[in-house]
Amino acid sequence: MASDFTQQIREKARELLEDGTVECVIGYETGSDGISARPAFIYNAADVERLVFDNTCTHNLVKYLLNKKAKSTAVVVKGCDSRALNLLLSERQIERDKAFVVGVVCPGIVESRWNERSEQLQKRCDWCRQHTPVVSDFMVGDPVTEQPPADFADVAEEEAKTAEERAAFWQQQAERCIRCYACRQACPGCYCTDCFAESLDPEWVGIRIAPAESQMWNTIRAFHLAGRCISCNECERVCPVNLPLSLLNRKLEQKVLELFDYRAGMSEDAPAPLITFKKDEKLGIAE
Amino acid sequence: MSENSAPLIIGFLCNWCSYAGADMAGTSRAAYPSNIRILRVPCSGRVDPMMIVKCFQEGADAVLVAGCHPGDCHYNEGNYYGRRRFALLRELLDFMGVERERFRVEWVSASEGKRFAKIVTDFTNEMTKMGPRKAS
Amino acid sequence: MVQAESSSLEPVAKRVYSYYPGCSLHASAKEFDVSAKLVCQKLGIELRELEDWICCGASAAHSTSHLLSLALPAHTLKQAGEKGLPLAVPCAMCFSRLRITLHELKKKETLDLVSRTLEKELSTDVTVESMLDVLANESISLPVTKPLERLKVACYYGCLLARPPEVIGCDDAENPQTMDRLMGRLGAEVADWGLKTSCCGAGVSFPRLDIVLKLSHRILSLARSTGADCIAVACPMCHANLDMYQKDMTAKHKEKTNLPVLYFTQLMGLALGFSPKELHLDRHLTDPLPMLREKGLA
Amino acid sequence: MSRIGVFVCHCGTNIGGVVDVPKVVEAAKQMPLVVFADENKYTCSELGQASIRNAIDEHRLDRVVVAACSPRMHENTFRRTVAAAGLNPYLLEIANIREHCSWVHSDHDEATVKAIDHVQMAVAKVARHEALFPKTIGLTKRALVIGGGVTGIQAALDIAATGHEVVLVEREPSVGGRMAQLDKTFPTLDCSACILTPKMVDVAQHPNITLLSYSEVKEVRGFVGNFEVDILKKAKMVDHSKCTGCGTCWQKCPGKVSSEFDLGLGQRTAIYIPFAQAVPNKPVIDLENCRYQTFLKWDESQGGKKPPECRICEKICPTKSIDWEQQDEIVTEKFGAIVVATGFKTFDHSVYGEYGGGRYPDVISSLQLERLMSAAGPTEGEVVRPSDGAHVKNVVFVQCVGSRDDRVGRPYCSKVCCMYTAKHAIMLKEHDPDVQCYVFYIDVRAGGKDFEEFARRAQDESGAIYLRGRVSHIYQDGKNLKVLGEDSLIGRPVEIEADLVVLATGMEASDNADTLAQTLNISYTIYNFLIEAHPKLRPVETQTDGVFVAGSAVGPRDIPECVAHGSAAAVKAVALLSQDSLKSDPLTSIVDPMKCVGCFACKVVCPFNAIEEQVTRDKRTVSSINENLCKGCGLCVVACRPGAINLRGFTSQQLLSEVLTLVRE
């Protein structure tokens, strides 16, 4: 299947580059370890053979569309990535007519790192309810029936602890955070040119590397993604100290689903939950 | 703070309803504990979740946000947006160990002075009972 | 739920209902029972009478004990639920009690209370349909052999098939059309009149016969004034009131009141080819047979 | 570096009796940037204010904190004080140590600690205040009045009388509104048309008023003083600049349809004026019912007989005013103020199945009865049954049809029905002494000058029988109607044989009132009635500056109230238009275009459409605030993740500084 996907992507890429539909195709190629995929930027039809698709294609390439100066670009997206596309379209960060979307019905992505590849599916693939891209101009693979709603066992497990234990847990995590902001750089929803974390006035996050400041960063990072996180979990994957960032994202994802019946990035038009409201809704606030 | 054990409560009150409601508590001499410190904001929708997280991060024991009753917002819709943000924020804070009881949102109209006093009294008592925040 | 079939030409996939006749249909309204069963049989509708049905409590329970008024129908609903079939109920009073009980049991506290009382695990997963709705389903084709041409029918629904609308789900509580359309399909002309769902006085039959006479007479005379040859009903109580007292009305109002009152199932039966005898048309106090003979229907 | 002065008020003993004011002053002196602190017995007194002015001078203060009563009380007073000493009035902050402190706390120590904290917060905040300047904006000295009923007419005439230009937009072919349909008015029994038509004519003739009939407001842009409004002028197919209103066309037109003005009781022609006294008294062609249009649209392939070409109006028009080429047209006009007077419509009683659901011709609405009673109506004032034209003798009135009834979603009282029904009962008796009226009512609400007397007159002099109770059922019995109801005062059912039933249908917001409200960005209730800025104190203003509301578009009102509100709205509009320029509140949001990423979350949440899109020099599309529309709620600030938006007077920096004084002691 994977080789078939690769073939289809190459053919489409060739066609798009040759007929001038796009200037660049952003896809995956095999990395220099010969094992895991890495992003590839193909400008010439002659180079399309570099493109591959397999179960190590972890990166969310949509992030690369944020370059507003780019001309027409084709991008390979998995189900989760496609939701990022909708998010960015609704937030007017990319122009639909400049993007050609090659959707791939995702077979699931495995844990892999330099020179290492397991057959263990990534956590996000366990949770995933969107293997088929929600937006595409060309679809690779047959759309699949999606699984019924995921449970949030990981969140529930954390919630079973006492408040004190939870506070201690996150305190420990904050002590480990080195505030490298890799989570931010990988996240398709984090595209601000000026991040609150680096604002000196107001100084939301102090410049020292201290647990309280890291806690502030991690809390607000998660909250800024409330109702916007598309569950690609790239933030957690790229974290060099393995902070359990997915817990925060998924806690909010669960609440957003429960309170607003909303999943981010499922359509371009549905307004994100925090920029809309219903007059008569009951949210457990001052009722 | 007068004593270390007394909880610090930071209150964000919307100018049009709740701040006026707190004024009304004053004019009607409706007493309440003195722990609360009040910030005036134009609208409960102006209260940035970042600000609330910051309050807790810096050591506040509790935060009260009070705004106009739904439907009465001076700016028509501000408290509706606030309501959504606060609902999610409270979940996130609780999840991270700031008990949900510590972050309270109330709708207080300009005529509800006595009610404001009662809310603050109850909140203060509850926070005194809970004691100071454990972590950080 | 038995779903409406799209094609009515081929042998219809059998419609099967649990059947709750209620007390009246075993006694004073036997002709309703008999005619309903005949018509159902003809139309390929199988009725399976519940083995252990009990009184719905309509006559007295709801005015003495609210709990009793729910517990009695709940017993029947429990059985119907176990059968897994929709329940067909001809008598409008029984239908009303069953529907109202079902409605009230949707409240969890009520469900728990009645479950405790009956010492049974109750559920609300059962459908209750009036015989009128069962037979008026327009996806059922009617093999009419004797169209009711020349017959003008005033359809009378009474209170209980119309109200309360949010529980009964009547098409229009003030001017319902279900029976009218059904009679129309049988070839009859239907009267457009304004007392289709007005009370006949059944609730005060015994203490205040004067009220019954007044209300029922109003219904009969308006129906008569529209040129109707008969009234079609779907309720044993309405039938009794409208049929039984016509002599008293004649005496009281010094003008002859003589308007046959038939169950809609009897009219259906006639159109479908059953004989007046089979349909027990001879059981009415206001004899319909002369009129039916005159119309060539008997 | 700032030089902050702190002035702590004793307020007699109001503050000083609880809070240790000298201690607060001493604490203030230790606060960063504070160069002066003092106390006053009454800071708001002239003496107290003078001490602030002197201290500003003497100590070269550039910012001031007053610790006293609520800012809602004296913020403006002290702004003027510091302004008098040459400071920008926005370089002031109030610490509320009275309402929020001394009045609610009795422990002196605790109250003093809290007062110090509140002063500290105010100091931290004021240090971050900036000088702010209201902007001066120009304005267009013209008013738009939407709706040509009696309210709109009154507003237009009053504004025009002050010399300002007015455009009056009416969507029907004539002004006059509901009042033009009425026969008489309560409680004086003035002839409605006789008192209204002169005003209608005044509107048409006033040199300052432009009447745009058969027109609708489609789009409103801009803000107070500077609205730009798109008005749709529907094609009339008649050139009104040539037409003299001679009436030949509508007398000869063969296309007959049911008349909207007569509520289906009469007919009009396809080229028509809605009623004889219409203003303008020139016709429009109703294209849907015009025979020439039917001829043009006729499709041979569908068979049938080809309709005649007609065009009679065109042939007989002496001034050649028929113009088949006319098209709908949108004109854009500028206004400084807008008065909304879109009025009401009556409730559609067909939802009441028990009253026949609209099936019985002799069950009519009260407004239909007005048309029957009107000498200019379809029966020339003869009250006859629609079904057979028979004169009526027994008339039943049913009150509260579509009012005070939760079942039909209309729980409110329509206010005028009790009185107009009394009027109907009186008038019917006057028309024909043999008429007997019955009125089923819930309560008789007759609050108003001469109202109670009038309602009594219907009973005492005109012999109307008032029955307290609802009607349960109405049905046709032969030619007559049977009305079944209850007299709840004696607890008996009532049965009345009537030859006419009149339903007192309630008042509803007019069609598309909600759409118009959205266009104007003003609020409306769940019943689509417009919402005033304050129900008691600002009854004709709205949340949108420069937009005023009047008449029954706001809620059920009778004619004198509508007229009064029309005049009130006119005064407010004129007060606005008579200024030479407007000042905008400087406490608005502001965007840093360098930080803005153009996600426009701010634009989505802004309740006032104050966020505009702007292209920067480096070709990025970013937000910018229209300060004339911004009301300073700060919703956009919170919606903005990168922190590109801030709210003047309540900046994130200021609020954060306040918080930090509390937690970082």
Side-chain angles (χ1 to χ4, degrees):
Chain A
M1 183 178 71
S3 63
D4 180 37
F5 280 14
T6 297
Q7 213 45 49
Q8 287 184 52
I9 292 169
R10 286 177 184 167
E11 274 163 29
K12 193 69 195 178
R14 185 190 323 277
E15 177 193 324
L16 291 169
L17 289 165
E18 278 177 352
D19 69 12
T21 309
V22 301
E23 190 186 45
C24 174
V25 176
I26 309 178
Y28 302 93
E29 66 184 343
T30 305
S32 47
D33 61 352
I35 293 177
S36 17
R38 69 183 182 196
F41 300 80
I42 308 296
Y43 290 89
N44 296 313
D47 294 335
V48 298
E49 295 302 319
R50 275 166 53 198
L51 289 169
V52 297
F53 191 88
D54 62 23
N55 60 7
T56 67
C57 291
T58 185
H59 308 85
N60 187 340
L61 304 177
V62 169
K63 182 100 186 182
Y64 297 114
L65 291 178
L66 286 168
N67 179 359
K68 290 185 177 170
K69 297 205 175 90
K71 302 210 175 71
S72 290
T73 311
V75 65
V76 176
V77 299
K78 307 183 292 293
C80 46
D81 308 339
S82 73
R83 291 172 59 187
L85 207 60
N86 270 338
L87 176 76
L88 296 181
L89 284 168
S90 71
E91 293 179 357
R92 298 175 54 176
Q93 298 305 306
I94 49 184
E95 292 166 51
R96 184 67 183 89
D97 51 5
K98 276 166 62 178
F100 188 95
V101 184
V102 179
V104 181
V105 178
C106 179
I109 302 299
V110 297
E111 299 282 359
S112 66
R113 53 180 59 206
W114 179 254
N115 250 335
E116 249 182 75
R117 166 191 196 154
S118 75
E119 286 309 312
Q120 175 69 40
L121 276 186
Q122 292 185 9
K123 272 202 281 188
R124 63 161 156 178
C125 301
D126 286 343
W127 305 322
C128 178
R129 291 158 59 193
Q130 202 58 51
H131 294 80
T132 310
V134 286
V135 44
S136 71
D137 297 309
F138 176 75
M139 187 75 87
V140 176
D142 296 324
V144 292
T145 313
E146 301 295 346
Q147 296 300 307
D151 64 1
F152 289 85
D154 48 340
V155 175
E157 191 184 325
E158 182 64 19
E159 278 173 335
K161 298 183 194 165
T162 65
E164 209 168 324
E165 287 167 344
R166 286 199 298 274
F169 175 77
W170 290 107
Q171 172 74 13
Q172 277 168 22
Q173 307 309 319
E175 281 166 13
R176 292 169 49 228
C177 177
I178 56 171
R179 293 236 305 286
C180 64
Y181 298 129
C183 45
R184 181 178 78 192
Q185 300 316 107
C187 174
C190 279
Y191 52 75
C192 294
T193 41
D194 287 62
C195 177
F196 76 93
E198 279 143 354
S199 162
L200 294 176
D201 187 31
E203 191 186 35
W204 295 112
V205 181
I207 206 157
R208 66 202 167 126
I209 300 293
E213 311 297 355
S214 301
Q215 188 89 299
M216 184 74 193
W217 156 249
N218 284 305
T219 314
I220 300 303
R221 184 201 67 81
F223 197 80
H224 274 184
L225 287 158
R228 300 173 63 244
C229 171
I230 50 86
S231 325
C232 68
N233 209 26
E234 284 289 276
C235 49
E236 186 172 284
R237 186 184 65 83
V238 301
C239 178
V241 296
N242 297 323
L243 295 183
L245 299 176
S246 62
L247 269 179
L248 298 179
N249 296 338
R250 280 168 56 72
K251 170 67 198 176
L252 287 167
E253 182 187 340
Q254 179 195 30
K255 263 332 215 194
V256 164
L257 194 59
E258 178 188 316
L259 293 175
F260 312 123
D261 192 23
Y262 182 86
R263 291 171 68 207
M266 296 306 289
S267 100
E268 189 188 332
D269 309 318
L274 292 188
I275 55 170
T276 183
F277 63 86
K278 288 187 183 125
K279 286 186 176 173
D280 298 326
E281 62 195 349
K282 295 269 179 269
L283 305 177
I285 287 287
E287 280 154 13
Chain B
M1 304 323 84
S2 54
E3 291 164 47
N4 285 340
S5 64
L8 168 62
I9 302 175
I10 300 181
F12 295 90
L13 272 51
C14 94
N15 182 51
W16 305 98
C17 293
S18 305
Y19 194 94
D23 280 358
M24 176 61 86
T27 359
S28 43
R29 307 298 195 276
Y32 52 85
S34 68
N35 305 59
I36 190 166
R37 300 291 179 265
I38 293 170
L39 277 80
R40 184 164 69 125
V41 289
C43 176
S44 53
R46 168 66 185 95
V47 181
D48 199 323
M50 277 204 274
M51 193 69 74
I52 295 164
V53 177
K54 194 74 181 167
C55 288
F56 284 117
Q57 219 63 63
E58 295 283 350
D61 295 300
V63 173
L64 171 73
V65 176
C68 307
H69 286 272
D72 291 347
C73 177
H74 181 76
Y75 305 103
N76 306 346
E77 303 172 348
N79 49 5
Y80 292 127
Y81 290 108
R83 184 165 66 181
R84 283 195 158 205
R85 290 172 188 145
F86 302 142
L88 281 185
L89 180 68
R90 190 165 63 176
E91 293 296 329
L92 183 65
L93 285 172
D94 185 70
F95 191 69
M96 298 185 76
V98 181
E99 299 93 326
R100 61 181 66 241
E101 295 79 8
R102 294 188 186 275
F103 173 37
R104 184 176 287 203
V105 182
E106 293 286 351
W107 312 131
V108 177
S109 80
S111 59
E112 293 177 318
K114 291 232 162 66
R115 186 160 164 268
F116 177 78
K118 181 165 188 330
I119 286 168
V120 176
T121 306
D122 293 350
F123 196 24
T124 312
N125 292 342
E126 193 184 349
M127 288 303 107
T128 310
K129 211 186 279 172
M130 273 182 83
R133 296 228 347 267
K134 305 292 190 310
S136 56
Chain C
M1 271 293 304
V2 175
Q3 289 296 316
E5 294 301 319
S6 51
S7 160
S8 54
L9 295 173
E10 290 309 302
V12 179
K14 215 164 169 122
R15 295 161 197 271
V16 187
Y17 287 85
S18 288
Y19 182 60
Y20 176 83
C23 313
S24 299
L25 273 79
H26 276 205
S28 59
K30 185 134 189 65
E31 63 273 30
F32 194 7
D33 183 53
V34 168
S35 57
K37 282 178 176 162
L38 284 176
V39 168
C40 283
Q41 195 184 14
K42 186 82 169 183
L43 299 180
I45 299 168
E46 184 184 335
L47 300 177
R48 295 184 190 160
E49 186 164 331
L50 294 174
E51 294 97 15
D52 187 27
W53 61 265
I54 59 171
C55 170
C56 71
S59 48
H62 59 287
S63 50
T64 50
S65 157
H66 184 60
L67 178 59
L68 181 63
S69 78
L70 299 177
L72 289 170
H75 174 86
T76 302
L77 288 172
K78 164 82 179 158
Q79 282 185 63
E82 282 164 0
K83 302 285 178 208
L85 294 171
L87 182 64
V89 185
C91 168
M93 280 179 301
C94 303
F95 170 68
S96 165
R97 287 315 313 161
L98 286 161
R99 267 284 177 93
I100 287 172
T101 302
L102 198 55
H103 182 77
E104 296 223 2
L105 291 183
K106 298 244 157 84
K107 277 182 287 197
K108 181 145 189 334
E109 315 86 80
T110 315
L111 185 73
D112 291 346
L113 174 67
V114 181
S115 294
R116 273 202 308 279
T117 309
L118 291 178
E119 296 177 349
K120 284 190 178 108
E121 190 74 22
L122 297 177
S123 100
T124 55
D125 189 18
V126 55
T127 311
V128 177
E129 283 186 56
S130 75
M131 189 54 84
L132 177 60
D133 281 329
V134 171
L135 294 175
N137 184 335
E138 294 189 5
S139 68
I140 301 176
S141 66
L142 301 172
V144 175
T145 56
K146 202 190 281 180
L148 305 180
E149 284 160 6
R150 298 178 53 220
L151 190 69
K152 185 164 183 180
V153 182
C155 296
Y156 175 67
Y157 299 75
C159 312
L160 298 175
L161 284 176
R163 303 191 186 91
E166 61 274 20
V167 178
I168 300 302
C170 174
D171 58 338
D172 179 345
E174 298 293 340
N175 186 23
Q177 296 296 327
T178 318
M179 203 193 301
D180 292 62
R181 276 199 298 269
L182 177 61
M183 291 299 133
R185 289 173 68 209
L186 300 173
E189 184 189 348
V190 291
D192 181 14
W193 62 312
L195 292 176
K196 287 179 185 178
T197 60
S198 291
C199 179
C200 67
V204 292
S205 290
F206 297 106
R208 291 292 302 271
L209 188 59
D210 58 322
I211 291 179
V212 177
L213 289 179
K214 182 177 168 196
L215 297 182
S216 294
H217 179 257
R218 179 190 284 159
I219 291 164
L220 287 163
S221 58
L222 187 71
R224 175 60 93 197
S225 78
T226 64
D229 301 305
C230 63
I231 291 185
V233 297
C235 170
M237 249 348 225
C238 300
H239 181 269
N241 279 329
L242 295 179
D243 182 40
M244 216 155 60
Y245 298 119
Q246 294 199 13
K247 282 210 175 77
D248 305 71
M249 293 173 199
T250 304
K252 185 174 167 195
H253 295 278
K254 313 271 185 289
E255 76 180 10
K256 192 160 168 58
T257 309
N258 182 15
L259 189 63
V261 182
L262 308 178
Y263 289 104
F264 77 98
T265 45
Q266 291 178 301
L267 286 167
M268 284 185 85
L270 276 179
L272 298 179
F274 293 103
S275 73
K277 190 88 188 154
E278 286 172 291
L279 296 164
H280 288 208
L281 279 165
D282 51 355
R283 278 177 57 100
H284 300 297
L285 292 179
T286 306
D287 185 2
L289 292 168
M291 179 277 290
L292 291 172
R293 275 190 214 105
E294 194 249 313
K295 301 282 173 188
L297 293 168
Chain D
M1 283 305 248
S2 298
R3 297 176 61 82
I4 299 172
V6 177
F7 301 85
V8 187
C9 184
H10 282 264
C11 195
T13 57
N14 279 309
I15 295 170
V18 179
V19 171
D20 184 343
V21 172
K23 201 170 167 186
V24 177
V25 172
E26 282 317 303
K29 283 181 179 163
Q30 306 305 315
M31 294 174 191
L33 305 177
V34 173
V35 296
F36 178 80
D38 201 359
E39 57 196 272
N40 298 96
K41 199 74 187 159
Y42 288 104
T43 314
C44 60
S45 68
E46 183 39 45
L47 211 62
Q49 293 190 50
S51 80
I52 296 178
R53 290 195 298 267
N54 293 339
I56 291 173
D57 263 359
E58 209 169 302
H59 299 276
R60 291 178 293 116
L61 303 179
D62 60 7
R63 282 164 168 74
V64 168
V65 168
V66 177
C69 54
S70 171
R72 296 170 54 84
M73 188 73 86
H74 276 315
E75 188 168 48
N76 280 332
T77 313
F78 293 122
R79 274 186 184 158
R80 283 194 297 270
T81 310
V82 300
L87 281 192
N88 181 285
Y90 294 92
L91 297 174
L92 165 86
E93 190 62 29
I94 309 281
N96 182 343
I97 60 167
R98 191 178 76 173
E99 283 85 346
H100 289 192
C101 189
S102 67
W103 275 356
V104 285
H105 307 313
S106 47
D107 184 304
H108 292 211
D109 291 341
E110 283 184 17
T112 305
V113 168
K114 180 169 176 178
I116 293 171
D117 274 0
H118 273 195
V119 170
Q120 173 70 76
M121 283 157 69
V123 167
K125 187 179 180 195
V126 83
R128 305 298 303 259
H129 267 323
E130 284 172 22
L132 300 176
F133 303 92
K135 272 198 183 163
T136 301
I137 39 178
L139 74 160
T140 308
K141 298 191 165 219
R142 302 172 78 216
L144 168 68
V145 176
I146 307 173
V150 66
T151 311
I153 288 172
Q154 185 68 39
L157 288 171
D158 287 351
I159 297 170
T162 64
H164 292 99
E165 259 183 69
V166 181
V167 172
L168 176 60
V169 171
E170 165 59 50
R171 72 177 161 195
E172 300 298 328
S174 167
V175 295
R178 295 285 87 83
M179 187 176 168
Q181 289 174 291
L182 306 182
D183 175 39
K184 298 276 191 311
T185 60
F186 62 78
T188 49
L189 298 181
D190 284 303
C191 158
S192 188
C194 312
I195 56 179
L196 180 66
T197 42
K199 277 183 177 288
M200 291 163 59
V201 174
D202 285 352
V203 161
Q205 294 179 346
H206 202 293
N208 291 340
I209 299 180
T210 307
L211 171 59
L212 297 181
S213 61
Y214 216 43
S215 300
E216 287 178 41
V217 168
K218 283 290 160 196
E219 195 76 52
V220 177
R221 295 172 296 274
F223 47 88
V224 56
N226 298 275
F227 294 107
E228 210 175 79
V229 182
D230 291 347
I231 301 164
L232 168 72
K233 292 167 78 176
K234 290 177 276 191
K236 299 177 172 123
M237 314 312 276
V238 178
D239 184 345
H240 279 204
S241 65
K242 292 188 198 158
C243 173
T244 59
C246 68
T248 318
C249 54
W250 68 76
Q251 281 151 18
K252 299 286 186 226
C253 173
K256 297 278 191 295
V257 285
S258 156
S259 155
E260 297 87 355
F261 188 80
D262 286 334
L263 302 155
L265 295 171
Q267 287 194 316
R268 63 160 171 84
T269 45
I271 185 165
Y272 74 109
I273 56 170
F275 52 103
Q277 307 92 324
V279 170
N281 203 259
K282 297 174 183 181
V284 299
I285 296 178
D286 162 13
L287 290 180
E288 266 182 34
N289 294 297
C290 167
R291 294 199 170 188
Y292 178 43
Q293 300 301 317
T294 318
F295 168 80
L296 290 176
K297 281 186 221 135
W298 186 69
D299 180 0
E300 204 154 353
S301 64
Q302 303 208 327
K305 198 169 139 242
K306 190 172 169 99
E309 190 176 358
C310 191
R311 295 176 82 163
I312 290 172
C313 50
E314 186 184 355
K315 285 170 203 147
I316 59 173
C317 176
T319 59
K320 301 287 167 236
S321 303
I322 307 296
D323 178 3
W324 299 112
E325 303 302 315
Q326 253 190 32
Q327 300 281 331
D328 287 0
E329 179 193 0
I330 288 195
V331 294
T332 303
E333 302 247 4
K334 291 191 167 177
F335 302 101
I338 300 176
V339 175
V340 190
T342 46
F344 74 99
K345 65 170 183 182
T346 51
F347 183 84
D348 174 9
H349 62 78
S350 68
V351 303
Y352 281 91
E354 62 267 43
Y355 303 157
R359 288 180 298 140
Y360 304 134
D362 297 336
V363 176
I364 64 172
S365 73
S366 297
L367 200 53
Q368 284 178 312
L369 180 62
E370 295 281 351
R371 295 313 303 146
L372 289 178
M373 290 169 107
S374 167
T379 56
E380 293 174 347
E382 294 295 328
V383 181
V384 295
R385 299 209 292 216
S387 61
D388 59 2
H391 279 264
V392 300
K393 294 293 173 203
N394 274 338
V395 182
V396 171
F397 290 89
V398 183
Q399 299 291 279
C400 302
V401 178
S403 302
R404 304 181 71 187
D405 192 349
D406 257 330
R407 286 183 313 148
V408 297
R410 293 289 176 268
Y412 56 84
C413 169
S414 290
K415 198 172 180 179
V416 296
C417 321
C418 288
M419 295 313 296
Y420 71 58
T421 296
K423 173 187 75 180
H424 289 159
I426 292 169
M427 293 307 301
L428 280 179
K429 197 74 176 176
E430 269 182 26
H431 277 244
D432 179 356
D434 291 340
V435 167
Q436 176 62 54
C437 295
Y438 302 87
V439 181
F440 283 93
Y441 70 100
I442 303 179
D443 300 291
V444 174
R445 297 190 163 174
K449 189 180 176 186
D450 294 333
F451 283 14
E452 178 64 22
E453 299 90 320
F454 188 70
R456 290 237 61 102
R457 181 175 150 197
Q459 298 168 60
D460 299 343
E461 291 176 27
S462 304
I465 296 175
Y466 272 61
L467 298 155
R468 183 175 172 281
R470 283 202 85 101
V471 166
S472 63
H473 196 53
I474 298 171
Y475 65 96
Q476 188 85 43
D477 187 0
K479 292 194 157 190
N480 288 339
L481 294 157
K482 279 271 173 57
V483 180
L484 309 181
E486 186 194 5
D487 182 342
S488 65
L489 293 180
I490 55 168
R492 280 290 176 83
V494 188
E495 180 178 331
I496 298 170
E497 180 138 355
D499 30 27
L500 187 70
V501 176
V502 183
L503 304 178
T505 46
M507 292 166 92
E508 285 191 328
S510 56
D511 290 333
N512 300 328
D514 50 345
T515 321
L516 181 65
Q518 287 162 12
T519 307
L520 292 159
N521 197 25
I522 57 179
S523 310
Y524 51 97
T525 70
I526 54 170
Y527 312 111
N528 287 356
F529 287 122
L530 306 176
I531 296 180
E532 57 277 60
H534 189 282
K536 300 275 179 290
L537 303 177
R538 299 173 70 198
V540 295
E541 289 150 281
T542 65
Q543 293 292 9
T544 300
D545 292 341
V547 177
F548 307 98
V549 289
S552 51
V554 182
R557 280 173 180 162
D558 66 10
I559 293 169
E561 282 179 309
C562 285
V563 172
H565 279 88
S567 286
V571 168
K572 289 289 176 187
V574 168
L576 172 65
L577 297 181
S578 46
Q579 297 177 61
D580 290 324
S581 63
L582 303 174
K583 282 205 171 18
S584 68
D585 186 349
L587 296 180
T588 61
S589 286
I590 177 169
V591 180
D592 178 348
M594 290 311 290
K595 288 186 178 176
C596 176
V597 288
C599 73
F600 292 102
C602 50
K603 190 174 179 180
V604 179
V605 299
C606 178
F608 307 105
N609 298 328
I611 311 271
E612 292 171 354
E613 298 184 16
Q614 185 189 6
V615 180
T616 59
R617 284 200 341 220
D618 57 346
K619 303 261 167 22
R620 292 176 303 120
T621 308
V622 297
S623 293
S624 83
I625 310 282
N626 182 332
E627 290 176 17
N628 302 310
L629 289 175
C630 177
K631 297 233 173 196
C633 65
L635 281 178
C636 52
V637 183
V638 183
C640 183
R641 289 182 295 276
I645 312 187
N646 223 333
L647 176 60
R648 292 191 183 110
F650 295 94
T651 62
S652 300
Q653 290 87 333
Q654 289 180 310
L655 298 177
L656 191 55
S657 308
E658 287 185 85
V659 166
L660 293 182
T661 65
L662 296 175
V663 289
R664 286 189 181 162
E665 275 196 351

